Amino acid sequence: MDHLVGRDSELAFLAARLAEARAGRLQLVLLEGNQGVGKTALLRRFLTDLDEAETLVASGDELEQSVPFGVLTQLLGGIRAERLSAELSVATLSGTAAPAPVQIGAGLVSLAGELTAGHTALVLAIDDATCADVSSQQALAFALRRLRHDPVLVVLVAQTDGQGVFSDGLRRLLTEFGSRLRLAGLTVDDLQRLAVAQYATPMSGRAVQLLHEVTDGNPMHARALLEELSPDELQREAGPFPAPRSFRLMVLGRLANCPSETQRLVVAAAVLGRSCRVEDAARLAGVTDPLAALGPAVKAGLLVEHRRPFDAGVAFVHPLMRSAVYHDLGLDDRCALHARAAQLADDPATALTHRIEASPFTNDDLAAEVAQAAGQDAAQHRWAQAGDRLLTAARLTSDRRLREHWFTYAVDMMLHAGEVARAADHLATVPPLHDRARHHYLQGRLAMVRGDFVASDVSLRQAWAQLALAPDPPLARAVAEALTIRVDYGFYDIAAEWATRANQVAPLDADQPTALPFLTIMVYLSAGWRQQARAVFDEVTARDGGATESGGATDADGLVVGAFLRSCDDLPAARDAFSAAAAFHRRHDTAAPMGLTALYLQSLVEYQMGEWDEATTHASLATSLAADSGQVWMTASPHAAMIYPLAARGAPDISAHLARAARAQRDHTGQAELIRMARARVAHAAGDHGGVVTALSWFAGRPASDPIEPSDLPWRVLYAEALAHLGRTDAAETVLVPFEEAAAERSRRSAQLGAVRARAALELARGHMDIAAATFRQGAVLGRDLPMPFEIALLDLAHGSFLRRRADGQAEAVGVLRAAGDTFARLGAAPYLARCERELAACGPSETRRPPSTWAGLLTPQELSVARLAADGLSNRQIATELVLSVRTIEYHLGNVYRKLGLRSRAHLAATRHGR
């Protein structure tokens, strides 16, 4: 039995973290140290001493890393089945159609809320956490992001310089707010206590000092020596102790002293994993009396019994014990046992895992079967798991070309799943690919998701050049698709050409992650290729039976539909299509690039439609999901989208938001145009015309191939308007005319509306009052029934200001300005409302409107989202589900909302919102 000695300060540290957690602050502890230093023993002692806490324990296993949600299944094994939601049931987690990690993570958030009801603390402990399967790590990281205000303590145990790595999400969490507890060796006094506790034999001061010198205080090595040496040898006063035998020899010595049937049972358990059912180990070992065989193993300190919901199980006392037994097996014995375990397995997935372990050499039939299983995972959008399987298939095949093919798409799937670090590790450890096109493609994809778009462009073009020498249509399609993504502002015609090549070179493969249909229509629209974009839209809607309301039948189709409808100014239908696409990904893989893009575009349309609370919520959610899932390269765009409504509302912390967005963009080498547009929005809200010009002058030096595209970046309107206000009328004319002509040619009312405001400012600057008046009248006609309240209110503000300055226009000015003020008040656009009120005051006495939501000025985006949903009548649990947060986090934010707004109840909150 392992005796824990010392470690009082470490136990106090963990106790303090638990106290912090009980106070409603998530605590994340990384417990790390060298092999045998006592990490597991410390964790067990801490957990044993707990009271009034719900404890869930699991352990990673390097041989089980390919089992999806394996560690999570262990964690949930101690919870009664009736307390688990459908997505967290054993049947779901171990099934062939398990949900994506994000959905499982959302289920964990809800479960944590239930387990911590009544202020009970929840302790999650994972030994050998770096060996946990990727799916479990991703789900856990997603959940922990949303449990920051819950009484939860997480202890992750990892060996210093051990095998395995943390997922990107967990690693970022540990970096951001985790605390490290590094275990060093025991002190000399602690070693003395260990000797007395284990053998009731005190050692001389000199002897224990020598023991410390040779073991460096490592408890495992010290115990090995204490078992190995005689009492006389333990009392030596001079000369070093002999080097301790390896832990492996100690474990194998204990095993050798057990009866034959016990040895077979322990060996079988080692083949089955860190823990297993007693029945399974007995069947594999051919043991007829499991109870009799188990007793000596428990007495020898090799195995421990543990009860599970539906059966009796055993686990190794320490992962190293399992490793020692497993790796002592000869290759032939190990393979034979895995082969038999595959025959005895209850489910195909477990059987396949054992068949893989039973095949140390190439096996083309098995490789094909594993690749087929990867395809099934891909069809369920389980990209990380599919990638792991394809890596295994690549190892098993004897066909070099097929090996490199599978390896390419395995890494591609990992990158799509956000597992950048794992993909990079695999690329760094494999020998150079013989197929140089694949080598350059993977380097380009990796550079892209890391945000180094310059290096990405170089590598991808090298891949394309190689493919010209040795054609490979599927790979060429993937390279051309990647080059479609990697195109800067002003070069959309080039992107459109790459999209055309990608569509022509090879058909789409359902087993590979792709965004080609959406990318194609986006770059066609951005390049002004309207007819080609229409053809893509028609093809998608025809494939979906003409129904656009659902957002499309596949992950990209809803985005295609939404993008085209938005370009037609059908904003409500576009919003619904993007919303449907986001919902599709919530059911499958919310954090994949297409899901994040759907949320981002939904937020942009909601901003245009004046649904600013919703826009802020969805942009914030997209930013959070992108960071949590490793898609950090996609954070700049939703960051920028979130700034638009916040700037228009005069949020006091807008500078901090802008700095975060700029930092997200600086970490990468693309998307600078989004940050420039966000800066221009902030300057426009502040009435800083010079700031608008400074932010947007970059665009003037590299105009896009189409004057009014992309519609996300209407820089010409803002730039021309600001130039006009600064008296630079000729420059404003140069910028504005191409925009006006293109908007008129296509009858694009939204673009024409913006152009009218800029044209009016320009004619006013030139002193052409009659032309300005006619321009404003034209804008009033264009704005009818157009669901863009903010743009219409901006035009009304400019028109009212113009009318007020005319002797015969003051009466009309009041009506126009009041209409603008009503809209600004409803939107909470405080800076613009203040300007409107100043204009009205200049017209004479009038009723002042104050935006009921000083909300936007007082609340964070997260608080604003919670307040909006609570005011709309949703319960805390419903809000938690909508925002993918814990109930306790909702309570935390709602408390802040009440305090900041000086309110006391939901009724007051609803009254305040509906008075907006």
Side-chain angles (χ1 to χ4, degrees):
M1 179 180 178
D2 290 345
H3 298 277
L4 183 73
V5 297
R7 307 303 191 196
D8 292 339
S9 62
E10 289 86 352
L11 288 169
F13 177 88
L14 292 173
R17 301 288 76 73
L18 178 59
E20 289 284 326
R22 291 187 193 279
R25 293 181 290 274
L26 170 69
Q27 298 294 301
L28 182 58
V29 177
L30 175 60
L31 173 58
E32 56 183 354
N34 293 329
Q35 175 180 327
V37 80
K39 303 181 296 295
T40 301
L42 173 66
L43 179 62
R44 283 185 185 145
R45 170 62 62 82
F46 173 68
L47 296 177
T48 300
D49 294 342
L50 290 181
D51 56 1
E52 297 183 2
E54 187 85 40
T55 304
L56 303 179
V57 184
S59 177
D61 190 322
E62 62 181 288
L63 295 180
E64 298 178 3
Q65 285 181 295
S66 63
V67 179
F69 301 116
V71 164
L72 199 55
T73 302
Q74 290 183 52
L75 278 177
L76 301 177
I79 300 176
R80 296 193 308 274
E82 59 269 20
R83 298 188 69 181
L84 297 176
S85 59
E87 68 267 19
L88 296 183
S89 67
V90 174
T92 300
L93 293 177
S94 60
T96 57
V102 169
Q103 280 68 51
I104 300 300
L108 286 176
V109 173
S110 298
L111 178 63
E114 295 178 12
L115 296 179
T116 57
H119 303 287
T120 300
L122 173 61
V123 179
L124 304 178
I126 303 179
D127 206 352
D128 283 326
T130 54
C131 291
D133 61 280
V134 175
S135 299
S136 293
Q137 291 198 48
Q138 289 177 324
L140 185 62
F142 183 89
L144 294 181
R145 282 271 181 196
R146 287 147 182 84
L147 293 171
R148 296 188 183 187
H149 305 290
D150 291 67
V152 177
L153 168 64
V154 181
V155 182
L156 304 177
V157 182
Q159 180 177 319
T160 304
D161 299 326
Q163 292 188 348
V165 294
F166 284 119
S167 70
D168 289 356
L170 273 183
R171 185 167 54 253
R172 279 193 301 275
L173 281 170
L174 286 166
T175 300
E176 289 174 22
F177 60 90
S179 53
R180 291 177 180 263
L181 179 56
R182 296 181 183 272
L183 279 193
L186 298 175
T187 65
V188 172
D189 291 340
D190 287 337
L191 280 182
Q192 181 69 278
R193 285 193 286 272
L194 176 65
V196 173
Q198 190 164 349
Y199 300 105
T201 304
M203 300 173 65
S204 69
R206 177 57 182 159
V208 76
Q209 182 67 43
L210 291 173
L211 179 64
H212 188 271
E213 289 176 2
V214 75
T215 64
D216 199 26
N218 186 292
M220 180 178 71
H221 293 165
R223 286 193 180 93
L225 274 179
L226 290 171
E227 285 188 353
E228 177 185 340
L229 301 181
S230 67
D232 290 341
E233 290 176 307
L234 288 174
Q235 300 299 337
R236 68 174 62 201
E237 294 288 332
F241 278 106
R245 296 175 187 171
S246 69
F247 185 71
R248 172 176 166 273
L249 291 179
M250 182 185 72
V251 171
L252 296 177
R254 292 184 187 180
L255 182 61
N257 290 327
C258 293
S260 174
E261 288 213 335
T262 299
Q263 293 182 32
R264 297 207 308 274
L265 184 73
V266 172
V267 168
V271 169
L272 293 175
R274 170 76 188 276
S275 63
C276 64
R277 295 190 305 176
V278 177
E279 177 186 357
D280 292 342
R283 289 173 63 201
L284 180 58
V287 171
T288 56
D289 189 350
L291 187 61
L294 180 61
V298 173
K299 186 175 181 181
L302 296 172
L303 297 177
V304 292
E305 302 173 74
H306 67 97
R307 293 284 176 182
R308 306 198 297 190
F310 304 110
D311 50 52
V314 291
F316 281 88
V317 172
H318 194 283
L320 291 174
M321 291 184 169
R322 186 259 173 144
S323 179
V325 174
Y326 182 82
H327 291 290
D328 186 59
L329 290 170
L331 181 61
D332 54 345
D333 291 336
R334 191 161 67 237
C335 291
L337 283 168
H338 275 297
R340 176 168 167 74
Q343 295 173 346
L344 297 174
D346 294 333
D347 67 279
T350 302
L352 183 60
T353 298
H354 283 297
R355 289 174 59 205
I356 291 169
E357 295 299 331
S359 303
F361 309 119
T362 58
N363 183 330
D364 290 323
D365 290 339
L366 181 58
E369 190 175 341
V370 174
Q372 184 179 15
Q376 294 170 352
D377 290 330
Q380 297 293 326
H381 298 261
R382 295 197 298 265
W383 300 115
Q385 184 176 333
D388 285 338
R389 289 197 189 278
L390 278 183
L391 283 177
T392 300
R395 174 182 68 80
L396 290 170
T397 184
S398 61
D399 186 328
R400 177 189 57 78
R401 187 177 182 84
L402 196 54
R403 181 184 309 118
E404 294 192 351
H405 171 86
W406 282 335
F407 178 79
T408 300
Y409 292 117
V411 173
D412 215 4
M413 288 173 178
M414 290 180 184
L415 293 175
H416 188 80
E419 288 299 313
V420 179
R422 293 184 64 235
D425 287 343
H426 286 300
L427 281 174
T429 55
V430 300
L433 299 185
H434 183 272
D435 187 334
R436 300 309 294 168
R438 293 185 181 280
H439 169 80
H440 291 307
Y441 169 69
L442 290 176
Q443 295 297 327
R445 284 283 287 121
L446 180 61
M448 181 184 295
V449 298
R450 283 176 165 171
D452 189 350
F453 291 155
V454 173
S456 171
D457 191 61
V458 171
S459 294
L460 290 172
R461 290 180 182 275
Q462 287 176 323
W464 187 259
Q466 290 288 330
L467 287 166
L469 303 175
D472 182 337
L475 181 60
R477 184 204 57 75
V479 173
E481 178 178 338
L483 282 164
T484 302
I485 301 173
R486 174 55 203 117
V487 174
D488 287 329
Y489 176 84
F491 297 94
Y492 295 111
D493 50 348
I494 297 175
E497 291 170 0
W498 281 117
T500 301
R501 292 189 187 106
N503 282 283
Q504 292 175 345
V505 73
L508 295 178
D509 186 342
D511 291 344
Q512 297 172 22
T514 182
L516 187 56
F518 167 68
L519 290 172
T520 300
I521 198 167
M522 285 297 288
V523 296
Y524 281 177
L525 289 171
S526 297
W529 295 16
R530 184 79 185 172
Q531 185 176 351
Q532 293 89 331
R534 177 79 206 200
V536 176
F537 172 78
D538 289 342
E539 180 182 350
V540 166
T541 53
R543 183 172 65 239
D544 295 340
T548 62
E549 293 181 1
S550 66
T554 70
D555 54 351
D557 287 357
L559 290 166
V560 170
V561 171
F564 190 78
L565 292 177
R566 185 185 181 206
S567 75
C568 300
D569 286 338
D570 191 351
L571 298 183
R575 175 201 56 201
D576 293 344
F578 291 139
S579 177
F584 177 95
H585 282 280
R586 179 161 294 189
R587 293 192 301 271
H588 294 84
D589 191 359
T590 303
M594 288 296 92
L596 300 175
T597 302
L599 282 171
Y600 162 63
L601 292 175
Q602 183 181 351
S603 72
L604 287 181
V605 175
E606 288 165 340
Y607 168 73
Q608 288 180 283
M609 295 179 64
E611 298 171 353
W612 287 0
D613 292 344
E614 292 82 354
T616 303
T617 295
H618 292 128
S620 176
L621 182 58
T623 303
S624 171
L625 290 171
D628 292 349
S629 63
Q631 305 283 355
V632 184
W633 64 296
M634 297 194 68
T635 57
S637 50
H639 259 306
M642 186 165 55
I643 287 173
Y644 296 173
L646 293 177
R649 283 175 160 172
D653 56 348
I654 192 63
S655 296
H657 285 289
L658 190 56
R660 280 194 292 272
R663 188 162 54 249
Q665 186 273 321
R666 277 198 306 272
D667 291 340
H668 310 91
T669 53
Q671 301 179 321
E673 64 273 12
L674 298 173
I675 307 306
R676 289 183 170 91
M677 181 58 67
R679 287 198 177 100
R681 299 279 189 188
V682 172
H684 190 272
D688 179 4
H689 304 304
V692 173
V693 169
T694 299
L696 299 179
S697 58
W698 175 86
F699 288 94
R702 50 189 307 169
S705 52
D706 187 271
I708 65 172
E709 298 290 356
S711 58
D712 297 345
L713 301 169
W715 67 272
R716 288 178 181 269
V717 169
L718 294 177
Y719 192 51
E721 181 186 31
L723 288 171
H725 282 295
L726 294 174
R728 296 169 58 183
T729 55
D730 290 343
E733 182 79 18
T734 301
V735 169
L736 186 58
V737 168
F739 187 91
E740 290 175 315
E741 292 175 347
E745 179 186 352
R746 296 173 202 173
S747 300
R748 183 80 171 271
R749 289 173 62 202
S750 59
Q752 288 176 294
L753 186 67
V756 161
R757 192 176 79 247
R759 172 57 63 184
L762 177 54
E763 297 304 334
L764 285 172
R766 287 171 168 169
H768 300 163
M769 300 302 167
D770 291 341
I771 298 177
T775 302
F776 281 124
R777 288 194 296 271
Q778 179 191 2
V781 174
L782 286 170
R784 287 178 192 157
D785 303 323
L786 196 62
M788 300 178 67
F790 183 55
E791 291 297 321
I792 292 171
L794 287 177
L795 184 62
D796 284 344
L797 174 58
H799 188 196
S801 177
F802 164 71
L803 290 171
R804 180 185 68 78
R805 289 164 174 78
R806 298 189 64 165
D808 58 348
Q810 291 227 351
E812 185 181 357
V814 171
V816 173
L817 289 170
R818 281 180 174 172
D822 288 342
T823 299
F824 291 141
R826 179 173 60 80
L827 295 175
Y832 297 97
L833 179 60
R835 286 180 222 166
C836 195
E837 296 290 359
R838 287 195 295 271
E839 292 292 336
L840 279 169
C843 292
S846 63
E847 179 183 353
T848 300
R849 295 165 185 75
R850 184 169 182 256
S853 74
T854 51
W855 280 23
L858 294 174
L859 305 181
T860 68
Q862 194 74 274
E863 291 165 352
L864 191 62
S865 299
V866 171
R868 175 180 63 83
L869 294 173
D872 286 345
L874 274 67
S875 67
N876 286 357
R877 184 167 297 280
Q878 290 171 322
I879 299 171
T881 300
E882 175 72 17
L883 299 181
V884 200
L885 296 169
S886 73
V887 173
R888 202 176 300 270
T889 299
I890 299 303
E891 294 170 350
Y892 171 83
H893 287 312
L894 203 51
N896 286 341
V897 168
Y898 289 156
R899 177 177 55 79
K900 291 181 178 181
L901 300 183
L903 304 175
R904 291 182 296 175
S905 70
R906 266 180 158 78
H908 291 151
L909 190 66
T912 302
R913 171 171 167 77
H914 296 147
R916 293 166 73 180

